Amino acid sequence: MTGAQKMKIERFLEIIPGSISWSIIIGIIISFFINPIFTAIFLIIYLMYWVLRLFYMSTLLMMAHHRMISKKNFNWRALCENIKFDKTFDELVHVVLYTIYKEPKEVIMESLESLKAVDYPKNKIIVVLAGEDKEEKACILIEELRKTFELCFKEIIVTIHPQKLEGEIPCKGANATYSAIRIKEYLEENKYNIDNVIISCFDADTCPDKNYFACLTYHFMANPNRYRTSFQPLPIYSNNIYTVPAFARVIEMGSTFWQLIESMRYEKFVTFSSHSMSFKTLVEVDYWPVNLISDDSLIFWKCFVKFDGNYSTYSLEVPVYMDIAVGKNFFHTISVQYKQKRRWAWGVETFAFLGTNIINNKNISLFLKIRKMLQILDSHISWATWAIIVSFITPAILIWSQFIQKESLIFFNLSYINSVIFNCMTFILLLSIIVSREFVPPKPKNISRLIYISFVAQWFIIPFISAALGSIPALDAQTRMMFKKGPEFYATPKKRVYTNNNV
């Protein structure tokens, strides 16, 4: 396949998700005015499908929650020190890469303090602080951090990513890749065997659980397919949970729940945000993409293509704690949340990336190719449409149907099924309240107990928040990709009001 042919296929695949999403939304609206009865029947079937899907996801949420809670106090370090595999505990070394861009000093300090507090030998941890040259004070800040923590770990390496390197766009992947190449040079100079190195790529606000590295080490040692596996912790957005607006808490806790659900769907589970993998594997696939925004999920798909479909993601039983995206005030927080979710939704670019890179790969079966492509397409189209249909289009049609006298039984059934959907969502809300208690850190002394009322009430705005800051940003991302108007990489601002005590 020539370069021109590949570009045409890629362009075609970029148009598909947005075209389908808009066709569904516009098609329902137009169909209602042409044939309201047919539209009502379609919506009844669609809503019944989502009733089943919501119960299915609730079951997965409870299973994942039980899996994580049951291992909460497990002694992972004793296990990986005493059990013998072909890899031993003493052989393995961890590289922890923090990509840094405009984060306040206190955010990075807290991340490094939590890393210092993990139950794992610090002489087996190499920390890398990866700054950006375009940030004026980056070098000074990172050097201060290096001096503060230099005796706490095996080594602290500082890298500064230059601007405008050939083939790159401004994105996290470009910084991480530049840093990883420097890490490889360091490891070779110091005679490390990269087969025994595990790299964790963290955002600057990532605070690992105290058992994270012991748990990761055990699963790396125990996994016979360790060089064909990424290891994904559960991201819990709670570092600043007591000082952000209620809607922001709901959105980010929803992201945590979604990752819990996805962790139980092994065939669909891919890397997201902070993750870990073999450094040997990272080198083999030529590091993270430097010209695409969705580096965290795309590194999985790069590995999937490189190893002919023989690649998977393992869900770790321990979490990492991260910040809830927040702005300077309420309205700025809405903007920050919207842009962050649109950046996440830009993961739809994996559809075109995967399609153009597996089309001529004869080592991947046609069935597997189709299944993976449909999985990506289904998840992103559902993301962009379901909340809009359930929260806005269906209620609007039911209101308008009051003016239509004929065949009212159909609309009565539609109204009934729609009420069932909201009853299901009420059940899920109650489930979410129960599950979320496990993820809320202890309340700081300067915060009123009345905030717990807000913590309960916040869940009842989910139907509207899901559309406004869920489906609409996803639809925005797909539309931009259709017209080749991709957003620039959005570095989510970090803001910390107090020192968290959940790690």
Side-chain angles (χ1 to χ4, degrees), residues 111-172:
S111 298
L112 292 173
E113 288 289 351
S114 69
L115 184 61
K116 189 174 74 171
V118 298
D119 183 18
Y120 200 83
K122 308 310 180 296
N123 62 352
K124 290 179 171 293
I125 298 177
I126 299 170
V127 177
V128 183
L129 304 177
E132 289 281 0
D133 181 51
K134 60 185 174 183
E135 187 182 0
E136 295 180 2
K137 299 181 180 179
C139 296
I140 299 173
L141 170 61
I142 292 176
E143 184 58 28
E144 289 177 359
L145 292 169
R146 188 193 68 77
K147 289 179 180 179
T148 302
F149 291 93
E150 64 180 342
L151 300 179
C152 301
F153 305 101
K154 173 71 174 178
E155 185 75 64
I156 294 186
I157 301 172
V158 172
T159 64
I160 303 296
H161 176 229
Q163 298 184 55
K164 299 179 181 179
L165 293 180
E166 185 178 356
E168 291 186 357
I169 65 170
C171 62
K172 174 186 169 183

Side-chain angles (χ1 to χ4, degrees), residues 13-250:
L13 294 174
E14 287 175 343
I15 295 171
I16 288 178
S19 298
I20 295 176
S21 295
W22 276 112
S23 296
I24 291 172
I25 293 171
I26 296 174
I28 292 174
I29 297 171
I30 294 176
S31 174
F32 174 72
F33 291 102
I34 296 175
N35 192 334
I37 305 305
F38 171 80
T39 306
I41 293 172
F42 169 80
L43 286 174
I44 288 172
I45 296 172
Y46 180 83
L47 293 176
M48 289 178 66
Y49 162 75
W50 270 99
V51 168
L52 297 175
R53 189 161 180 172
L54 287 172
F55 275 113
Y56 167 65
M57 290 191 293
S58 299
T59 303
L60 292 181
L61 175 61
M62 292 304 297
M63 291 171 62
H65 176 254
H66 173 73
R67 175 177 179 263
M68 192 185 76
I69 295 303
S70 65
K71 299 293 179 67
K72 186 175 183 179
N73 298 314
F74 197 76
N75 192 341
W76 290 103
R77 179 168 175 177
L79 185 64
C80 62
E81 284 181 333
N82 297 323
I83 293 182
K84 303 301 180 184
F85 297 101
D86 59 314
K87 291 289 182 186
T88 65
F89 179 79
D90 292 334
E91 288 180 312
L92 299 178
V93 175
H94 288 269
V95 171
V96 184
L97 169 59
Y98 284 99
T99 53
I100 299 170
Y101 181 58
K102 292 186 176 180
E103 287 83 7
K105 182 178 180 179
E106 60 269 20
V107 169
I108 310 169
M109 286 278 290
E110 186 170 318
S111 298
L112 292 173
E113 288 289 351
S114 69
L115 184 61
K116 189 174 74 171
V118 298
D119 183 18
Y120 200 83
K122 308 310 180 296
N123 62 352
K124 290 179 171 293
I125 298 177
I126 299 170
V127 177
V128 183
L129 304 177
E132 289 281 0
D133 181 51
K134 60 185 174 183
E135 187 182 0
E136 295 180 2
K137 299 181 180 179
C139 296
I140 299 173
L141 170 61
I142 292 176
E143 184 58 28
E144 289 177 359
L145 292 169
R146 188 193 68 77
K147 289 179 180 179
T148 302
F149 291 93
E150 64 180 342
L151 300 179
C152 301
F153 305 101
K154 173 71 174 178
E155 185 75 64
I156 294 186
I157 301 172
V158 172
T159 64
I160 303 296
H161 176 229
Q163 298 184 55
K164 299 179 181 179
L165 293 180
E166 185 178 356
E168 291 186 357
I169 65 170
C171 62
K172 174 186 169 183
N175 186 1
T177 291
Y178 177 84
S179 183
I181 293 171
R182 306 286 85 75
I183 295 167
K184 181 173 182 290
E185 294 171 355
Y186 168 86
L187 294 173
E188 289 174 344
E189 289 172 3
N190 290 275
K191 310 301 181 184
Y192 285 94
N193 181 357
I194 65 170
D195 291 14
N196 298 329
V197 177
I198 306 170
I199 185 167
S200 298
C201 186
F202 286 173
D203 290 343
D205 61 321
T206 302
C207 299
D209 183 89
K210 67 176 183 178
N211 291 316
Y212 180 78
F213 291 97
C215 177
L216 171 60
T217 299
Y218 169 76
H219 285 298
F220 184 83
M221 292 166 59
N223 193 331
N225 205 33
R226 62 178 71 95
Y227 298 117
R228 300 294 178 267
T229 305
S230 285
F231 301 88
Q232 179 64 51
L234 172 69
I236 297 179
Y237 298 90
S238 63
N239 285 344
N240 55 345
I241 195 169
Y242 287 99
T243 58
V244 300
F247 78 88
R249 291 198 299 265
V250 169

